[in-house]
């Protein structure tokens, strides 16, 4: 059974490393400022922890401090947010956020779910195939005729 793991790209950890390196002069300027290292460490934890695992039977959404397992039978729909993470709408109308899953992942999500999630690219491809090819765009008015005087 295929399984897909959606996660935040690991190169984001370079940002945490860069922040830790840049914070070093400030962190060692006075006693107690070493706590500033908690910010890059928290960001690294967030990158490593947030993920969504999807297979044919269930969705496992793991957030920063917890996780949730949702069987496909409890999923009514997928809420699509154009510039954010998707959410699963459950049969009781509650939402479960799917970390690291974006609208661009819908075709893969559809394939792994066994068709429980509609693939928007397949729908548009089918609609385009059903349309009859149109002729070249023509202007209905005849072109102006040049008169020789």
């Amino acid at each position: 059974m295929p399984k897909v793991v959606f996660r935040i790209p690991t190169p984001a950890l370079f940002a945490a490393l860069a922040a830790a390196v840049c914070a070093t002069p400030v962190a060692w300027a006075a006693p107690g400022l070493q706590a500033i290292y908690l910010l890059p460490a928290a960001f690294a934890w967030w990158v490593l922890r947030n993920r969504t695992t999807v297979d044919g039977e269930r969705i496992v959404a793991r957030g920063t401090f917890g996780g949730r397992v949702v069987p496909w039978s409890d999923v009514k729909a997928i809420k699509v947010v154009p510039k954010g993470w998707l959410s699963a709408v459950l049969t009781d109308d509650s939402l479960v956020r799917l970390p690291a899953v974006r609208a661009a992942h819908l075709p893969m999500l559809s394939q792994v779910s066994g068709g429980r999630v509609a693939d928007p690219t397949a729908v548009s491809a089918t609609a385009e195939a059903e349309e009859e090819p149109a002729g070249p765009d023509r202007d209905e008015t005849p072109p102006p005729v040049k008169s020789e005087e």
Side-chain angles (χ1 to χ4, degrees):
M1 173 174 298
K3 177 171 96 171
V4 177
V5 179
F6 299 97
R7 62 180 68 169
I8 298 169
T10 52
L13 292 173
F14 288 124
L17 178 64
V21 168
C22 292
T24 299
V26 175
W28 295 101
L33 285 181
Q34 291 83 15
I36 202 165
Y37 285 126
L38 292 175
L39 293 174
F43 178 71
W45 175 257
W46 180 81
V47 168
L48 293 172
R49 179 82 178 146
N50 281 304
R51 69 181 56 175
T52 300
T53 305
V54 180
D55 60 21
E57 298 174 9
R58 64 182 181 218
I59 300 172
V60 180
R62 191 166 71 169
T64 307
F65 298 111
R68 182 145 183 210
V69 178
V70 179
W72 278 110
S73 59
D74 291 349
V75 178
K76 181 169 62 170
I78 299 292
K79 181 180 177 185
V80 179
V81 181
K83 293 192 177 195
W85 290 347
L86 304 184
S87 296
V89 181
L90 304 183
T91 54
D92 63 353
D93 290 332
S94 63
L95 294 176
V96 175
R97 193 170 187 179
L98 304 177
V101 182
R102 297 198 173 258
H105 297 131
L106 279 172
M108 188 181 311
L109 190 63
S110 173
Q111 186 177 23
V112 172
S113 72
R116 292 179 183 100
V117 176
D119 181 1
T121 58
V123 172
S124 64
T126 306
E128 288 176 7
E130 290 177 358
E131 290 180 10
E132 292 184 30
D137 291 334
R138 290 189 234 166
D139 192 6
E140 296 299 323
T141 59
V145 179
K146 290 184 181 178
S147 61
E148 295 180 27
E149 293 181 36

